[in-house]
Amino acid sequence: MTYGFRVKRSWTRIEPQLLETFRTLPVANVSDSMSRLCGLGHGLRPMHRSGNLAGPALTVRTRPGDNLMLHKAIDIAEPGDVIVVDGGGDTTNSLMGELMLAHALKRGVSGFVLYGAVRDAEAFLERNVPVFACGVTHRGPYRTGPGEIGFAISINGSVVEPGDLILGDLDGVVSVPKAEAATIALAAVKKHEAETKQMMETEAGTVKRDWVDIALREAGCEFID
């Protein structure tokens, strides 16, 4: 084996029932329910027009500006997978463009999270498949490796294991560890229900705001008439 070239062929993915539960939840509610520790960073922004991302992670690690392993990941992806690429956050060269996106759609890939750049930006808007990346550049990629598929990666300090749940909306992207997904789902649903109720009370003019003054007094705030 050449060091830095590994492709894992199988792993456990998040349960489909849990995936459907998370699909209905805002990323912000899920992030809050994970103590705000597992976001993949503010630098990842949507390259598509609209729509949310949800699916199990197919992880790829590559050197900046190289997409050899990303090509292979698209070839072996299962329908519904989200391909998550640690490209070092570099935006000098793009990791993929319109042709790779079209191939991925034929393979049933549900979206991408690219810690790197894309090109053919207009095609990403037209296709409107959920894709999050750090930026856009016309400069193309290399195809020599090294890289790995199906192993743990890290993006902005957050570890993503293959099969973990990836969620994305216009607020950004979060990774949910599959081993903790059931517990996090319960907390996130509860959080979403509470915020929905609060919004209804706000619009009805009945929401209570006593907690603001309580928090200020507990912090020792001085009120001056």
Side-chain angles (χ1 to χ4, degrees):
M1 182 193 77
T2 302
Y3 185 81
F5 285 85
R6 295 189 298 173
V7 176
K8 192 174 182 181
R9 298 182 184 274
S10 64
W11 51 84
T12 302
R13 289 166 169 81
I14 186 171
E15 298 176 8
Q17 184 176 355
L18 278 175
L19 171 59
E20 293 308 310
T21 297
F22 277 104
R23 196 184 296 276
T24 65
L25 299 171
V27 166
N29 289 159
V30 177
S31 177
D32 286 351
S33 300
M34 300 172 66
S35 300
R36 305 173 178 88
L37 288 178
C38 294
L40 299 187
H42 67 277
L44 290 168
R45 301 308 304 161
M47 299 292 114
H48 55 292
R49 289 183 287 103
S50 62
N52 297 345
L53 176 65
L58 192 171
T59 55
V60 180
R61 182 185 177 195
T62 186
R63 74 178 178 93
D66 192 287
N67 71 1
L68 177 62
M69 285 297 181
L70 177 52
H71 275 280
K72 183 60 179 177
I74 294 173
D75 287 344
I76 67 175
E78 294 187 4
D81 279 349
V82 175
I83 298 181
V84 186
V85 183
D86 174 12
D90 185 79
T91 57
T92 306
N93 297 81
S94 63
L95 291 176
M96 65 177 288
E98 182 177 11
L99 292 175
M100 292 178 69
L101 180 62
H103 178 48
L105 292 179
K106 288 293 184 182
R107 294 286 306 160
V109 173
S110 63
F112 290 85
V113 177
L114 304 168
Y115 194 37
V118 300
R119 69 175 179 179
D120 304 326
E122 189 172 351
F124 285 84
L125 293 173
E126 290 177 353
R127 298 273 188 172
N128 200 33
V129 178
V131 176
F132 293 81
C134 295
V136 178
T137 178
H138 57 82
R139 295 181 61 171
Y142 301 98
R143 297 180 181 175
T144 57
E148 298 182 331
I149 296 173
F151 296 90
I153 61 174
S154 177
I155 296 180
N156 283 318
S158 290
V159 175
V160 181
E161 298 276 357
D164 283 351
L165 173 66
I166 303 297
L167 293 175
D169 61 23
L170 295 184
D171 282 340
V173 187
V174 67
S175 173
V176 180
K178 57 181 180 287
E180 311 295 334
T183 300
I184 295 167
L186 290 174
V189 168
K190 184 177 180 180
K191 173 75 172 177
H192 185 49
E193 290 175 346
E195 288 196 357
T196 300
K197 179 182 178 182
Q198 183 177 345
M199 179 60 74
M200 294 174 63
E201 292 173 346
T202 298
E203 292 182 345
T206 60
V207 67
K208 296 180 179 180
R209 303 280 296 172
D210 297 348
W211 66 269
V212 177
D213 285 344
I214 292 173
L216 288 172
R217 288 193 173 92
E218 289 178 349
C221 180
E222 180 183 4
F223 289 83
I224 303 170
D225 293 328

